[in-house]
């Protein structure tokens, strides 16, 4: 075992706060500790790719995709932790650094699920979309939008990477439009858009409350993983 400097790409402010209690800035390197650097990138593969390159330019030895995901497998529930062995893209598959992944898993007092993670270019918010993706990628436990881009940057640079994702929405739950249309790229509320959406679909308020509770479960899991990552150890 030895200590290295690690770079974490995080899409949302809330996800970043599960790892870093200090002030956050967007699209720039934030020093969590001497061993851990972080960039809050915003959602999507393009933003994640730019953040991963920024971290490599800052001299990190490995990259981490950190945050939340939607479930594809019906048995995955909110708060379940995914430590995938592979990341599936539309045209390519990447393997995580397996010894590093194993070290993280060993640091936990609760289960972490292996298998794969599907990374897509646009939000996957409907049950129909999740079902279709699972047919094409039956080994995928969940779906996100950033891990494939981070994996591609790490692979091109010859650097190790791992993925740490906690489930928010299960496979049988569609996200209300207000959940995606009422926030900015970093997960910040856009009050006017959110209110307009709720005025058009008042019943979505209940769905948003349920989603908020599920997000808290996912963030609780990430906070439990944080100490193992902050140690900065790579096998």
């Amino acid at each position: 075992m030895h200590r290295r400097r690690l770079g974490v790409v995080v899409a949302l402010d809330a996800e970043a706060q599960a790892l870093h209690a200090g002030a956050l800035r967007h699209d720039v390197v934030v020093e969590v500790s001497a061993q851990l650097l972080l960039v809050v990138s915003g959602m999507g593969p393009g933003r994640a790719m730019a953040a991963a390159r920024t971290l490599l330019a800052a001299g990190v030895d490995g990259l981490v995709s950190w945050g939340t995901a939607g479930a594809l497998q019906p048995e995955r529930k909110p708060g379940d932790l995914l430590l995938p062995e592979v990341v599936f893209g539309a045209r390519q598959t990447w393997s995580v650094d397996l010894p590093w992944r194993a070290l993280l898993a060993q640091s936990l007092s609760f289960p972490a699920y292996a298998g794969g993670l599907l990374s897509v270019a646009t939000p996957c918010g409907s049950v129909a979309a999740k079902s279709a993706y699972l047919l094409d990628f039956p080994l995928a436990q969940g779906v996100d939008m950033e891990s494939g881009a981070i994996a591609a940057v790490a692979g091109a640079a010859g650097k190790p990477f791992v993925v740490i994702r906690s489930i928010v929405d299960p496979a049988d739950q569609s996200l209300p439009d207000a959940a995606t249309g009422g926030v900015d790229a970093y997960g910040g509320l856009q009050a006017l858009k959110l209110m307009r959406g709720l005025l058009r679909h008042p019943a979505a308020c209940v769905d948003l409350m349920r989603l908020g509770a599920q997000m808290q479960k996912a963030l609780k899991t990430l906070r439990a993983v944080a100490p193992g990552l902050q140690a900065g150890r790579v096998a």
Side-chain angles (χ1 to χ4, degrees):
M1 313 291 183
H2 58 286
R3 294 164 74 85
R4 295 183 181 179
R5 208 174 200 202
L6 307 178
V8 184
V9 179
V10 187
L12 306 180
D13 288 340
E15 296 167 340
Q17 288 162 351
L19 183 62
H20 177 53
L24 293 175
R25 293 181 293 163
H26 297 154
D27 308 312
V28 297
V29 175
V30 174
E31 186 174 291
V32 177
S33 69
Q35 283 75 45
L36 200 64
L37 303 181
L38 177 149
V39 173
V40 183
S41 66
M43 291 182 280
R47 291 174 177 271
M49 183 169 287
R53 288 172 174 162
T54 296
L55 286 163
L56 289 181
V60 302
D61 300 300
L63 291 172
V64 181
S65 173
W66 170 273
T68 58
L72 293 184
Q73 298 289 346
E75 62 268 27
R76 294 286 69 81
K77 305 302 180 187
D80 282 356
L81 179 66
L82 306 185
L83 290 182
E85 297 159 309
V86 295
V87 174
F88 302 114
R91 298 179 180 83
Q92 190 172 352
T93 299
W94 300 270
S95 176
V96 309
D97 187 279
L98 294 177
W100 185 5
R101 180 208 170 275
L103 184 64
L104 288 168
Q106 290 165 9
S107 74
L108 302 173
S109 60
F110 54 90
Y113 297 95
L117 177 79
L118 175 63
S119 198
V120 297
T122 57
C124 177
S126 72
V127 172
K130 293 174 186 178
S131 297
Y133 280 136
L134 185 58
L135 286 175
D136 290 336
F137 299 92
L139 297 180
Q141 296 279 345
V143 57
D144 77 356
M145 292 196 294
E146 294 81 32
S147 293
I150 298 163
V153 172
K159 300 290 186 180
F161 83 99
V162 291
V163 176
I164 301 170
R165 294 276 167 168
S166 184
I167 293 295
V168 175
D169 48 304
D172 62 354
Q173 178 182 343
S174 293
L175 299 179
D177 291 340
T180 52
V183 296
D184 63 21
Y186 306 94
L189 286 179
Q190 295 185 308
L192 288 177
K193 288 185 177 180
L194 180 62
M195 291 305 297
R196 291 190 190 109
L198 291 176
L199 286 172
R200 288 194 297 268
H201 304 286
C205 185
V206 175
D207 296 330
L208 286 175
M209 291 176 64
R210 177 173 62 163
L211 189 64
Q214 292 168 192
M215 183 66 169
Q216 290 308 308
K217 288 184 179 180
L219 295 176
K220 181 179 179 181
T221 296
L222 291 177
R223 286 192 291 269
V225 181
L229 182 61
Q230 290 165 342
R233 296 186 181 92
V234 181

